[in-house]
Amino acid sequence: MTALPDKSLPWAGGLAFRPLADGDIDGWLALVERIAAAEKAHWHETRSELATSFEDSVNPSAENTLAGFDADGVHRAYASVSKNPGAAVGYAFGGVDPQWQRRGIGAGMLFWQEDRLRARFASEGLPPGMVRSYTQEVNPAHTGLFAGAGYLPVRYFSEMARPLSGAPAVAVPSGIVLSLFTQALAEPVRLAHNEAFADHWGSEPRSVQQWGFLLKSENFRAAWSAVALDTRTGEVAGYQLSMYDPERFAKEGRQEGYTEILGVRRAWRGRGIASALLSDAMARYRAAGMEHACLDVDTENPTGALGLYEGMGYRPVRRTVAWEKHLGG
């Protein structure tokens, strides 16, 4: 099923639906912010993240997004799907304006997302695979929607934080040097990331375009990010990329540096590189006036990341849930 026509739908509560276009970004962002405020969400998509929908060559917005507008042209609902070529999993994201919930709109958009992903699998000659989505653990609206549609919670991710006062100082292992992240290192780090996360649940290789989207985020802080280089070979052994959300103080009451991605390639694991990268990150955050360090972890991470973070003084703050449903059943 391709993008729905620009007309009201029986299940849409009177909203008119059409694919999103780049001129919609202000209204779309305002809708995302309204939903996040009502749900007391600790994060939401940024402008640059929404903008990638109109640049993504693998998931063109004309076929993979849907937005509902009221009679005054105000954005009231949105849905999007994404899928990497050949992947067994597709992803669904969306939301409904708090004032327009409980009208069947969310269920209707979820049906569209599932149908669209089935078409994506079929177009590649693949049998129907899984659809996956993420919500905050405490989110009754989304929990009810997914549970009612046959989705199951399959994985939990903990957001963890620690104060920067008393942060541990960890020595850089012998044979390793930490270098500030630069654009010259962007491609070697991308390749290292794809290798390091090959054994992580839910991770898929990031293309050059997808990696570029991450590095173009308005929240990305190159000056807070670092790369661990092998002094003998010059290879990337590990890396950490950091973010800063200027809205976090209003939400959390503290300034936080956020470690978006931390990875160590298999051949260099077990040498304390991850600890050294985290220690370096915390020092950079503190120098920039931050009060806390924050990160997110898969609670079943096979590399023992949860234990590492706990040992570095991070403590759980809240959890995110991954939901899945098989599209063939």
Side-chain angles (χ1 to χ4, degrees):
M1 184 180 192
T2 57
L4 292 169
D6 185 2
K7 67 178 183 179
S8 296
L9 301 167
W11 48 260
L15 296 181
F17 276 76
R18 62 168 172 78
L20 284 157
D22 53 9
D24 295 320
I25 193 164
D26 289 334
W28 186 11
L29 181 60
L31 170 60
V32 167
E33 291 173 341
R34 289 197 301 275
I35 295 170
E39 296 178 350
K40 296 181 171 56
H42 57 279
W43 65 269
H44 63 74
E45 292 88 348
T46 64
R47 174 179 288 273
S48 66
E49 288 170 334
L50 298 182
T52 63
S53 297
F54 311 120
E55 305 171 30
D56 190 343
S57 59
V58 174
N59 303 285
S61 61
E63 300 173 3
N64 297 288
T65 67
L66 189 67
F69 301 82
D70 66 17
D72 296 319
V74 178
H75 294 62
R76 297 299 185 182
Y78 76 96
S80 67
V81 298
S82 64
K83 181 186 177 300
N84 281 335
V89 178
Y91 294 85
F93 299 96
V96 179
D97 190 304
Q99 296 181 9
W100 285 73
Q101 293 178 5
R102 300 185 181 277
R103 305 187 190 191
I105 297 171
M109 291 196 307
L110 187 60
F111 177 84
W112 175 84
Q113 289 171 310
E114 293 174 1
D115 209 32
R116 177 65 193 132
L117 285 172
R118 287 191 189 94
R120 294 282 302 270
F121 282 108
S123 70
E124 296 181 38
L126 299 173
M130 304 293 293
V131 55
R132 182 179 299 156
S133 193
Y134 296 86
T135 70
Q136 294 183 102
E137 184 175 30
V138 182
N139 190 323
H142 277 94
T143 297
L145 175 64
F146 287 133
Y151 287 69
L152 295 173
V154 295
R155 204 82 167 193
Y156 292 86
F157 297 80
S158 282
E159 183 180 317
M160 306 181 77
R162 63 147 298 148
L164 289 172
S165 58
V170 179
V172 179
S174 175
I176 296 294
V177 62
L178 297 189
S179 173
L180 188 67
F181 178 87
T182 64
Q183 283 300 315
L185 288 168
E187 180 60 8
V189 172
R190 181 185 74 87
L191 296 174
H193 170 77
N194 286 346
E195 178 186 320
F197 275 74
D199 55 359
H200 285 53
W201 183 89
S203 179
E204 297 177 2
R206 298 207 190 193
S207 67
V208 171
Q209 184 182 54
Q210 291 167 334
W211 194 247
F213 291 157
L214 172 69
L215 300 183
K216 288 193 297 184
S217 168
E218 63 267 47
N219 290 349
F220 176 57
R221 296 293 184 269
W224 297 3
S225 305
V227 182
L229 300 172
D230 187 301
T231 56
R232 183 177 63 84
T233 65
E235 291 184 79
V236 173
Y239 54 91
Q240 72 81 15
L241 304 183
S242 289
M243 299 278 184
Y244 171 67
D245 180 355
E247 297 182 6
R248 292 286 283 191
F249 184 80
K251 296 175 182 176
E252 307 288 352
R254 58 179 181 257
Q255 295 281 18
E256 295 180 342
Y258 190 89
T259 304
E260 175 75 12
I261 303 178
L262 172 71
V264 177
R265 294 170 66 191
R266 182 179 294 275
W268 283 270
R269 291 176 185 170
R271 296 173 54 182
I273 294 174
S275 298
L277 284 165
L278 282 177
S279 177
D280 178 74
M282 285 189 265
R284 294 176 188 275
Y285 300 162
R286 189 167 52 245
M290 299 296 101
E291 302 164 337
H292 281 71
C294 189
L295 47 74
D296 196 79
V297 62
D298 177 353
T299 56
E300 299 178 45
N301 184 296
T303 65
L306 179 60
L308 165 67
Y309 301 151
E310 290 175 335
M312 294 288 287
Y314 289 84
R315 295 294 179 263
V317 176
R318 57 179 68 87
R319 295 202 301 181
T320 297
V321 185
W323 297 81
E324 282 189 349
K325 176 182 177 179
H326 197 282
L327 293 172

